[in-house]
Amino acid sequence: MKPTKKSLYAAKQEAFEKIIAQFATEKLYKFPPKLRESISYSLVKSGGKRLRPLMFLECYNMFSGVQHNFISDIACAIECIHIFSLIHDDLPCLDNDDLRRGIPTNHIKFGENVALLAGDALLNLAYETLFDAIRESVVCSKAIDTYVAEGCYNIARYAGGNGMIGGQIVDVLLAKSKTAPSDPRREVEYIYRNKTCALFVTSMRAGAIIAGIKDKDLENICAFAEEFGFAFQLLDDLDDIKNSTKIDPAVSPYLAYLGKEKGITDMKNYALSAKNRLKELNKRFDTAFFEELLEMFGV
């Protein structure tokens, strides 16, 4: 599943691959060799869509023309959080996956113990990087830059129990349950809103906050990110179950409990709603990158 047109997105993704590779070189060189190898395998060599850091960067650039080195570092911190979550999700105690993006998962390649610690180190590296960004912003402005501090705080908050990890644990417990939830729509929407959407929202929210955006523009950009996140996860789920006759709740609780047709309808509706949010912004800002991302949903 990829955006359908190789243009803005492809160029930005290619540029970010160089940024994340340089980031890993600078940040990991003192790590023990096996830990460095394991982290680099998932963070750099395994590739990926890089949507979350790119959405942060493009949101910041859309609202601000001021460039700082720490902006790209914050994007890398977001990707560290995302990759940490994937390494841990793949572990035998959670999803127990052997492949990720067509290659062996981290624990298959390096062992469960190394993979666990690599995920821990990535999460910690993300927070080190966020604090470094705040410190650098202080040097730039000669005072505490409250926009940068608030943006970094939001990344930490939405990545934890109030966001991504909160959604993950509800997903894990639901997958292990032998009975359907009493209110399946409420439960699966909580999972998707947190496990998937939260990191999209905080990426764009942080970009907007650091650029000094608030009020209605901030509300619209956060709503776009959440609606995009829902549509993105549903598209991913539909791709995962396209050859299945019976939908496993562990693969997609949304489609298992609400139905494939409902999933298709909701994916389109979320994508269209996200597109409408951009209409509130594109009269004053360049939203071309985000408009292109929506092409993957056919809207």
Side-chain angles (χ1 to χ4, degrees):
M1 181 183 64
K2 297 180 180 178
T4 56
K5 185 170 65 176
K6 186 178 180 182
S7 55
L8 281 174
Y9 169 78
K12 302 291 185 181
Q13 183 188 35
E14 184 178 350
F16 186 75
E17 292 302 332
K18 297 176 182 177
I19 291 171
I20 197 72
Q22 182 63 30
F23 173 85
T25 298
E26 292 175 358
K27 299 293 185 181
L28 305 180
Y29 77 99
K30 288 187 177 180
F31 282 25
K34 185 58 69 174
L35 182 61
R36 182 171 65 245
E37 185 183 359
S38 175
I39 291 174
S40 294
Y41 177 77
S42 293
L43 182 65
V44 180
K45 296 177 183 178
S46 297
K49 299 178 185 70
R50 311 298 192 187
L51 280 172
R52 295 152 190 83
L54 287 179
M55 291 171 81
F56 164 79
L57 288 171
E58 291 308 304
C59 187
Y60 174 81
N61 290 332
M62 180 173 71
F63 292 125
S64 175
V66 181
Q67 297 301 312
H68 299 290
N69 290 334
F70 62 78
I71 296 298
S72 61
D73 285 345
I74 293 173
C76 291
I78 291 170
E79 188 67 352
C80 285
I81 293 170
H82 177 53
I83 299 299
F84 135 76
S85 74
L86 299 184
I87 292 174
H88 279 197
D89 269 356
D90 290 335
L91 289 171
C93 61
L94 292 177
D95 291 348
N96 194 24
D97 286 324
D98 293 342
L99 294 174
R100 166 76 63 178
R101 298 167 183 155
I103 63 175
T105 50
N106 199 290
H107 71 274
I108 294 295
K109 178 83 172 176
F110 297 99
E112 188 176 348
N113 50 0
V114 174
L116 178 67
L117 293 171
D120 292 343
L122 270 170
L123 184 59
N124 197 73
L125 177 59
Y127 295 128
E128 288 178 39
T129 303
L130 295 177
F131 277 113
D132 276 344
I134 295 170
R135 183 171 60 183
E136 188 174 338
S137 74
V138 171
V139 173
C140 291
S141 65
K142 307 300 181 185
I144 295 176
D145 191 322
T146 54
Y147 291 146
V148 175
E150 185 180 351
C152 291
Y153 160 76
N154 272 270
I155 293 169
R157 182 181 185 276
Y158 280 83
N162 289 309
M164 181 182 70
I165 293 176
Q168 286 175 320
I169 192 168
V170 175
D171 187 30
V172 167
L173 295 177
L174 182 60
K176 292 183 180 296
S177 174
K178 295 182 179 180
T179 58
S182 57
D183 187 349
R185 185 168 190 93
R186 180 182 178 186
E187 192 120 349
V188 297
E189 283 192 353
Y190 178 90
I191 292 168
Y192 284 51
R193 196 176 306 280
N194 289 275
K195 183 179 179 180
T196 299
C197 297
L199 208 52
F200 283 119
V201 171
T202 197
S203 297
M204 296 192 70
R205 182 180 177 85
I209 288 173
I210 294 170
I213 297 301
K214 53 186 178 181
D215 301 332
K216 188 65 175 178
D217 287 336
L218 181 61
E219 178 185 327
N220 278 325
I221 210 67
C222 291
F224 166 84
E226 181 163 273
E227 288 151 0
F228 174 89
F230 260 106
F232 178 84
Q233 186 60 64
L234 285 170
L235 183 60
D236 197 48
D237 287 2
L238 288 163
D239 187 58
D240 285 343
I241 62 94
K242 61 185 177 184
N243 296 320
S244 303
T245 54
K246 184 177 180 181
I247 303 172
D248 185 350
V251 174
S252 174
Y254 204 105
L255 302 181
Y257 293 119
L258 302 182
K260 182 178 178 180
E261 293 305 315
K262 178 65 173 169
I264 293 171
T265 300
D266 285 353
M267 180 197 71
K268 292 288 187 182
N269 287 340
Y270 280 122
L272 286 170
S273 184
K275 189 173 185 176
N276 287 332
R277 292 288 181 173
L278 289 183
K279 291 179 181 178
E280 299 293 321
L281 296 162
N282 64 15
K283 297 173 184 177
R284 291 173 294 120
F285 304 103
D286 182 1
T287 60
F289 175 82
F290 300 108
E291 290 170 24
E292 183 182 307
L293 289 185
L294 291 175
E295 292 177 8
M296 72 173 81
F297 308 114
V299 300

